[in-house]
Amino acid sequence: MSRKLTIIQAITEALDQKLADDPRVMLLGEDIGVNGGVFRATEGLLSKHGADRVVDTPLAESGIIGSAIGLSLNGMLPVAEIQFLGFIYPAFEQVVSHAARLRHRTRGQFTTPLVIRTPYGAGIRGPELHSESVETFFVHTPGLKVVVPATPYDAKGLLISAIEDPDPVLFLEPTRLYRAFKEEVPEEMYRVPIGKARIVEEGSDLSIFAWGSMLRTAQLAAKQITQEKGWSCEIIDLRSLYPLDRDAIIASVKKTGRALIVHEAHKTAGIGAEITSLINDEALIYLKAPVKRVTGYDVPVPFFTMEDSYMPTPARIRQGIIETVQF
């Protein structure tokens, strides 16, 4: 059986089912209990599972992640919520210096199976720090997995996989997509494997790599270009930024000979640069044009009315496709 759910509903269902399935799972974060979280992802879970499993914490991100690390080392499977990715900086030291390193530091004696859920990205007219897209900080950290669902189906399946993963996982939730659309989601528990990209649309003229909210924007641009010029774009949702599905990226570029990477994070040292380097290393002789990136700009995410000028739009992506195919 399946029903149509939004991403936020799919996340709530995954948390609810894992709380019921495994007594080691618990949630912690600011306002996640009585209020149900800033976006209501945990609404109703306190009354259903109790205050020992759904814990309201003080406004102290370092304490939330530090507590989650301690819980995971003592046999629990904590899911910590940070209200926005731009608020994670007070906990940065706990994430990169401790959660990500404990397996290596103890030579495999201890692991830290914890999930950090956090909304990220622009598109809802949030203030500056509410709209950050700084996934690169964490992809650059060995020992930490980073996943980004772009659909309700993936949100539920990837979150269940993340909770069951033996290592820490940063689970980035695109705020712009929380309630943007619905799709069929199975009622039962299922897993979407971490580290596996998804071919969203098959194509032969150009490969587009995107994730999070940029996936739907890229799909709009590809549809326009097909209608205008008849070009066929292969669109790949990376789903996991670390580990990256290198095989899927290389196989697609070998097929189409052209690549366009779309992300809303800053261009300099963004994930697009890493993917470009990977293609140059392993598929250079297959390229018919330089790899192109369409990204956010190297400035803080601007306020409200300027936000649309910062984000990659279908028009900017369309232009990127034309420049690459006609190179």
Side-chain angles (χ1 to χ4, degrees):
M1 286 285 290
S2 66
R3 310 101 325 129
K4 286 191 173 182
L5 300 181
T6 62
I7 282 183
I8 201 79
Q9 289 170 329
I11 288 169
T12 305
E13 185 164 282
L15 295 172
D16 186 21
Q17 291 183 346
K18 284 305 296 179
L19 282 163
D21 172 69
D22 191 333
R24 298 174 300 166
V25 176
M26 62 177 295
L27 317 182
L28 63 162
E30 298 160 17
D31 296 329
I32 68 162
V34 176
N35 288 338
V38 65
F39 287 100
R40 305 295 180 261
T42 54
E43 192 164 43
L45 300 183
L46 171 65
S47 59
K48 190 171 182 179
H49 298 281
D52 291 339
R53 309 283 304 283
V54 182
V55 180
D56 273 324
T57 67
L59 198 164
E61 287 78 10
S62 178
I64 294 169
I65 304 303
S67 298
I69 292 170
L71 286 164
S72 69
L73 290 172
N74 285 278
M76 300 298 288
L77 299 176
V79 181
E81 178 178 305
I82 299 295
Q83 287 195 343
F84 292 90
L85 182 59
F87 294 177
I88 204 170
Y89 304 130
F92 192 76
E93 197 266 344
Q94 291 288 348
V95 176
V96 304
S97 298
H98 301 295
R101 291 172 183 257
L102 272 165
R103 179 188 281 275
H104 175 76
R105 182 177 295 155
T106 64
R107 302 299 184 262
Q109 187 176 355
F110 295 104
T111 60
T112 48
L114 64 90
V115 177
I116 304 169
R117 292 184 41 248
T118 182
Y120 88 102
I124 59 167
R125 301 293 189 259
E128 178 190 359
L129 285 168
H130 297 67
S131 304
E132 300 279 290
S133 184
V134 290
E135 56 268 28
T136 304
F137 290 160
F138 302 97
V139 172
H140 195 66
T141 302
L144 188 66
K145 294 173 182 171
V146 181
V147 301
V148 190
T151 66
Y153 181 91
D154 279 0
K156 179 176 177 180
L158 276 171
L159 183 52
I160 291 172
S161 293
I163 294 171
E164 296 175 350
D165 197 279
D167 291 305
V169 178
L170 181 66
F171 192 84
L172 299 176
E173 301 168 3
T175 54
R176 194 181 193 182
L177 299 184
Y178 265 150
R179 294 178 174 84
F181 66 102
K182 292 185 176 183
E183 73 171 6
E184 294 287 338
V185 176
E187 287 186 7
E188 68 274 14
M189 283 206 291
Y190 60 91
R191 285 88 183 161
V192 172
I194 293 174
K196 282 292 183 185
R198 177 173 67 101
I199 299 176
V200 179
E201 293 177 25
E202 296 269 1
S204 57
D205 293 311
L206 173 82
S207 301
I208 300 178
F209 302 103
W211 55 92
S213 70
M214 288 296 98
L215 179 67
R216 287 169 65 82
T217 310
Q219 286 179 278
L220 285 173
K223 186 177 179 181
Q224 288 177 10
I225 214 76
T226 299
Q227 292 171 344
E228 291 171 13
K229 298 183 179 293
W231 298 341
S232 165
C233 298
E234 180 150 292
I235 302 176
I236 295 186
D237 176 6
L238 292 182
R239 286 175 162 164
S240 296
L241 302 184
Y242 193 89
L244 203 57
D245 191 344
R246 301 161 67 95
D247 291 343
I249 294 169
I250 297 306
S252 183
V253 172
K254 286 182 177 179
K255 174 183 173 183
T256 67
R258 303 179 182 91
L260 178 72
I261 304 150
V262 183
H263 62 67
E264 64 178 278
H266 306 148
K267 185 171 187 176
T268 298
I271 310 301
E274 173 61 25
I275 297 170
T276 302
S277 179
L278 171 66
I279 294 169
N280 285 338
D281 284 346
E282 300 190 22
L284 182 65
I285 61 173
Y286 295 88
L287 288 177
K288 302 170 185 172
V291 178
K292 194 166 194 66
R293 292 175 283 166
V294 178
T295 71
Y297 298 107
D298 290 345
V299 298
V301 180
F303 286 109
F304 315 127
T305 55
M306 294 295 291
E307 191 179 64
D308 290 342
S309 298
Y310 171 85
M311 299 277 282
T313 59
R316 285 178 60 197
I317 298 170
R318 173 185 170 280
Q319 184 61 30
I321 295 171
I322 291 172
E323 291 174 5
T324 304
V325 174
Q326 292 185 336
F327 175 80

